Amino acid sequence: MSDDTTDTAGTTTTEQASLSGAGSTAGAEPGPSRMLEVAGLSAWYGEARVLTDVSIDVAPGEVVTLVGRNGAGKTTLLRSVMGLHRQTEGTITLDGTDLAKRSADARARAGIGWVPDDRGIYASLTVAENLLLPPVVHADAWPLERVYEFFPVLHERRDFPGTKLSGGEQQMLAMARVLRMGSRLLLLDEPSEGLAPVIVQRIGEIIREIKGQGVGVLLVEQNVTFARAVADRHYLLAQGKVVEHLGNDDFKAREGELLTYLGM
Amino acid sequence: MSEFIQYTLQGLAAGGFYALSALGLAVIFGVLGVVNFSHGACYMLGAVLSAVLLAELNVGFWAALVIVPILMFGFGVLMERLLVRWLLELDPLYNFLLTFGLTLVIVEAVKQRYGVSGLPYQVPAGLGGQVTVGSVNLSVYAIFACLFSVVVCVAVGLLLTKTRIGMIVRAATESPDRTRALGINVGLWVTPVFGFGIALAGLAGVLAAPTRAITAEMGSNFIIILFAVVVIGGLGSILGAVVAGFLVGLVEAYGIAYAPTYAQIVIFVLMAIVVLVRPSGLFGREEVA
């Protein structure tokens, strides 16, 4: 960790200049009709400012990633959208409705589905109960049969305590839970973290499947390979700011440079 | 041997009072994140209310077993809506101090009204005396209190594991934030859960009334032991609260019988050992980094 800070210390300034220079959004077309719009969002933890004037958007059926180092503010951004982090300024709208006064549970019922980085599986609930806990909030919600058909392992283990599943299975469960709920916009916090390649691949398939149904996905990801395999657009976050906004083609073309910049 | 069985029964009966109260304490802590210091005072109020109902309104034990928990539920609802609610956003220490202050107020109010000498309460008709099983004489009331507590704990357990309300309470106990983010208005459940927890303490008070000296101070020692119970069981674990309640009742009874000098210490030695071996308690989940 410490070596990449020192290593790139001398070059960061120049890179930042070129990265955040004119035309930084080139190649990234905003979605046709935006589902989620975050405008001028700043967030604090006490006195410490962790997000500065962040503006991003996600359209239905679009997969958008937030890429950046640890501590860049990616998770805080997701938590702010979900309404779990309240010390913020700026606006967050979902389908044109301002969410400022809405609690986290109201936002969830409005269609935002949260898949936290620790998967958020309840140990004291069975797999089936984990799936059935949230209310169904949209007509497109997956019925339980479809969930089980798509994730046979969850059916097999439906009476197990949620946390007795493997890490990959818990990730499936966390995603299946918000699909059963019928969320229209998924906030996925590092779904590939710590999982075997074959499972990561499976998660990629799931993301493509739900994208096909018009569900929007805002994905926090440090795994750049995974990010470019599933996403349409990318926002690069550094020190709480959006420093770059790229379409997937540009992202691929500049991957090496970006990796260095991100210190990953 | 027969003495040992008698001590065991006494321990299980006392354990029932701890288990019921600790269950209430655990549910409140789980859903609200509030450590309710006034839980002992609510247990005391349950016992005092039973005695007052009998003395002033001639309402007997069986009716008190129903009426007192309902009254205490109402008291809990008022306490949550008028006081506790306003501090929930702040550091949990504020509510701890609030309920500590409330304890002093409740205890002093009871002293003002009913004095310090203790209120009379008899073992209800039909539950007095002893039964002889083999060569062992057992107190009928202790058997009743023990079985009654077990039945209530099992009923609460079924409510928590078999119903949707229970599922929401378990989820909110594990993580209120995450449960909110899954579309559940946890705030809606906060008031009834608090009332329910207080009602359980009141119920324990009614059950204890025939076997304890009913004084304003009877909750002061009780709450300290109750804290030991939830630490042993694992903070936030509902099953742990019940199991540790009975365990502490037993350990206390054996302590009083076999090592009276150390009776007060044994429980805390047990607590220290449990915390050393399993810092998160017998049934607590290890914190995940």
Side-chain angles (χ1 to χ4, degrees):
Chain A
M1 278 308 276
S2 61
D3 61 334
D4 55 41
T5 338
T6 46
D7 201 29
T8 55
T11 50
T12 304
T13 0
T14 42
E15 271 173 11
Q16 185 147 18
S18 72
L19 278 163
S20 56
S24 69
T25 59
E29 296 298 319
S33 58
R34 291 161 193 187
M35 176 179 246
L36 174 76
E37 270 199 271
V38 174
L41 187 78
S42 296
W44 289 262
Y45 281 101
E47 299 283 296
R49 190 182 187 127
V50 283
L51 288 177
T52 307
D53 196 23
V54 169
S55 298
I56 63 162
D57 57 82
V58 181
E62 194 185 29
V63 179
V64 174
T65 66
L66 298 171
V67 185
R69 289 190 200 194
N70 281 332
K74 308 183 298 287
T75 296
T76 305
L77 180 49
L78 289 197
R79 290 181 62 85
S80 305
V81 171
M82 192 68 242
L84 291 173
H85 187 83
R86 312 290 305 197
Q87 212 185 338
T88 58
E89 261 173 29
T91 58
I92 302 171
T93 57
L94 182 72
D95 297 325
T97 313
D98 187 0
L99 295 180
K101 291 212 158 49
R102 302 251 192 129
S103 58
D105 52 286
R107 293 181 194 201
R109 288 193 299 274
I112 304 183
W114 164 247
V115 180
D117 54 352
D118 64 358
R119 340 276 195 221
I121 301 305
Y122 295 97
S124 58
L125 270 61
T126 63
V127 169
E129 286 177 326
N130 265 284
L131 286 169
L132 293 170
L133 176 72
V136 170
V137 300
H138 193 273
D140 285 355
W142 290 27
L144 199 57
E145 301 79 56
R146 179 165 177 211
V147 170
Y148 283 152
E149 202 179 312
F150 202 81
F151 303 96
V153 67
L154 299 183
H155 182 253
E156 274 166 44
R157 310 249 164 125
R158 62 190 179 280
D159 294 324
F160 280 50
T163 45
K164 291 287 179 220
L165 300 183
S166 72
E169 289 162 353
Q170 287 190 34
Q171 187 62 50
M172 308 274 174
L173 176 55
M175 293 177 70
R177 182 166 60 185
V178 289
L179 295 175
R180 217 271 327 173
M181 192 177 171
S183 303
R184 306 302 299 151
L185 171 73
L186 302 196
L187 309 178
L188 306 183
D189 200 344
E190 301 211 36
S192 73
E193 193 188 14
L195 299 181
V198 59
I199 311 240
V200 175
Q201 205 181 344
R202 176 87 177 115
I203 287 168
E205 286 164 21
I206 298 165
I207 291 177
R208 277 185 283 271
E209 166 89 14
I210 56 187
K211 171 184 159 71
Q213 298 179 347
V215 171
V217 177
L218 183 57
L219 174 72
V220 160
E221 201 43 79
Q222 295 211 48
N223 179 342
V224 171
T225 322
F226 179 68
R228 72 168 153 74
V230 295
D232 302 302
R233 289 187 290 130
H234 307 266
Y235 291 96
L236 268 60
L237 249 68
Q239 288 155 355
K241 293 183 185 129
V242 173
V243 291
E244 193 84 4
H245 178 198
L246 297 164
N248 203 29
D249 291 338
D250 281 359
F251 187 79
K252 284 177 185 167
R254 292 168 60 188
E255 191 175 326
E257 174 201 355
L258 295 170
L259 280 174
T260 316
Y261 175 66
L262 292 165
M264 292 190 290
Chain B
M1 188 58 199
S2 83
E3 277 183 348
F4 178 78
I5 294 172
Q6 283 167 349
Y7 297 143
T8 305
L9 181 62
Q10 292 304 330
L12 288 176
F17 309 153
Y18 294 138
L20 285 177
S21 309
L23 189 56
L25 201 61
V27 175
I28 289 175
F29 177 76
V31 176
L32 285 87
V34 171
V35 176
N36 177 27
F37 197 93
S38 72
H39 221 63
C42 293
Y43 159 83
M44 176 273 286
L45 273 184
V48 167
L49 278 174
S50 321
V52 170
L53 281 174
L54 183 66
E56 293 180 12
L57 298 168
N58 202 25
V59 172
F61 175 77
W62 297 105
L65 218 43
V66 177
I67 295 170
V68 171
I70 294 173
L71 291 175
M72 292 307 292
F73 179 87
F75 181 72
V77 166
L78 283 179
M79 198 170 142
E80 198 279 331
R81 306 248 24 154
L82 297 179
L83 300 167
V84 172
R85 161 157 306 219
W86 305 103
L87 302 179
L88 284 178
E89 297 284 305
L90 303 175
D91 190 291
L93 194 59
Y94 285 87
N95 257 318
F96 184 77
L97 290 173
L98 169 77
T99 54
F100 177 71
L102 212 53
T103 304
L104 300 179
V105 173
I106 295 169
V107 169
E108 288 308 313
V110 170
K111 274 186 196 163
Q112 286 289 322
R113 182 73 180 75
Y114 301 105
V116 289
S117 58
L119 301 161
Y121 205 75
Q122 280 105 38
V123 174
L127 295 176
Q130 304 206 315
V131 283
T132 311
V133 182
S135 60
V136 190
N137 292 322
L138 297 173
S139 148
V140 174
Y141 188 79
I143 297 174
F144 165 79
C146 176
L147 289 179
F148 188 88
S149 314
V150 170
V151 168
V152 174
C153 288
V154 169
V156 173
L158 288 176
L159 180 74
L160 286 171
T161 51
K162 300 292 175 206
T163 67
R164 177 154 181 89
I165 297 171
M167 190 159 98
I168 291 170
V169 169
R170 271 181 291 147
T173 300
E174 231 179 279
S175 168
D177 259 5
R178 187 197 305 157
T179 308
R180 264 181 226 114
L182 289 172
I184 289 163
N185 185 349
V186 174
L188 209 62
W189 297 95
V190 159
T191 311
V193 162
F194 195 87
F196 182 72
I198 300 294
L200 282 175
L203 181 63
V206 183
L207 273 183
T211 64
R212 297 279 192 275
I214 305 174
T215 69
E217 294 288 357
M218 70 187 284
S220 333
N221 194 36
F222 190 81
I223 185 67
I224 303 299
I225 295 178
L226 219 48
F227 284 148
V229 168
V230 293
V231 170
I232 291 169
L235 210 55
S237 164
I238 286 155
L239 177 65
V242 173
V243 173
F246 283 102
L247 182 67
V248 164
L250 279 177
V251 169
E252 187 186 38
Y254 295 145
I256 292 169
Y258 298 113
T261 331
Y262 302 105
Q264 289 297 308
I265 308 173
V266 211
I267 293 163
F268 298 100
V269 172
L270 173 70
M271 182 179 92
I273 294 169
V274 168
V275 169
L276 280 175
V277 179
R278 276 185 67 93
S280 53
L282 294 178
F283 292 86
R285 272 180 296 276
E286 302 288 334
E287 287 288 313
V288 183

